[in-house]
Amino acid sequence: MRTTLLTVIVLAAPRAVLACPVCFGQNDSPMAAAANLAIVVMLVIVVGMLAAFASFFMYLRRRAQLAAAESGPPASPEPAGGEGRHHVEGTAQC
């Protein structure tokens, strides 16, 4: 019942209600200009958010590099005997 009623309403509605002036080819109407401006505004917002996201990660990377530079080079552990033995990963140290 609802679908039949909805179909009748859609078919009975004038075609001018179903589309904006841009779809009808009136490119110089105020509604077409507003639609174009809305598209530009949405693009500016998206590009701005992407730029902010990328700059935040560049800020984090730069801050991590500064923190690593302040702490200095990592100290290599000396062997217990001080004999200068080289530790090789995965081998037994006897």
Side-chain angles (χ1 to χ4, degrees):
M1 176 69 182
R2 277 193 221 177
T3 56
T4 306
L5 181 62
L6 184 62
T7 305
V8 168
I9 290 173
V10 169
L11 292 176
R15 291 288 180 208
V17 176
L18 298 177
C20 65
V22 175
C23 299
F24 281 129
Q26 295 175 342
N27 296 355
D28 56 347
S29 73
M31 185 174 259
N36 289 336
L37 183 62
I39 291 169
V40 170
V41 168
M42 287 188 283
L43 284 173
V44 167
I45 290 171
V46 168
V47 169
M49 291 303 295
L50 289 174
F53 190 73
S55 66
F56 175 68
F57 278 103
M58 289 189 303
Y59 165 77
L60 289 178
R61 189 181 88 202
R62 185 178 25 214
R63 191 166 166 173
Q65 288 173 348
L66 287 174
E70 284 180 3
S71 66
S76 61
E78 288 291 323
E83 302 166 355
R85 288 187 252 161
H86 295 287
H87 179 269
V88 178
E89 194 68 36
T91 60
Q93 300 294 316
C94 298

